Amino acid sequence: MSYDDYYLCLSKLIPVFDKLNDEISITLGNEIFCNRDIKKIIDYSTENIPRYFFYHDFSVPTTKIRKS
């Protein structure tokens, strides 16, 4: 999904999220590694939906393969 599409969707969903009384959380999943606009998407989400946005710490290896 492009940043523009993400922005449009999230902008329309924010009022809905607010009516759910914190019964929802948003995560981006692993697809983010394929998105060239991921920094903009994370920044926008962190700023606009901090109560709902779950941001993974990407410094942790997901493959469990470690350098020796």
Side-chain angles (χ1 to χ4, degrees):
M1 176 182 287
S2 72
Y3 172 77
D4 293 335
D5 288 343
Y6 183 81
Y7 173 85
L8 180 63
C9 290
L10 201 59
S11 297
K12 291 180 179 186
L13 286 171
I14 288 173
V16 175
F17 295 160
D18 290 337
K19 291 180 182 180
L20 294 175
N21 299 321
D22 295 333
E23 294 181 12
I24 190 170
S25 65
I26 306 298
T27 185
L28 299 176
N30 292 332
E31 292 82 16
I32 62 166
F33 295 113
C34 299
N35 193 312
R36 62 185 166 93
D37 293 323
I38 189 56
K39 181 168 178 1
K40 289 169 50 176
I41 289 172
I42 290 173
D43 290 346
Y44 180 77
S45 301
T46 301
E47 291 171 16
N48 291 283
I49 55 167
R51 289 173 34 196
Y52 314 110
F53 181 59
F54 177 71
Y55 173 59
H56 298 279
D57 177 4
F58 296 114
S59 64
V60 177
T62 57
T63 61
K64 301 199 188 294
I65 298 172
R66 302 194 192 281
K67 291 183 179 180
S68 303

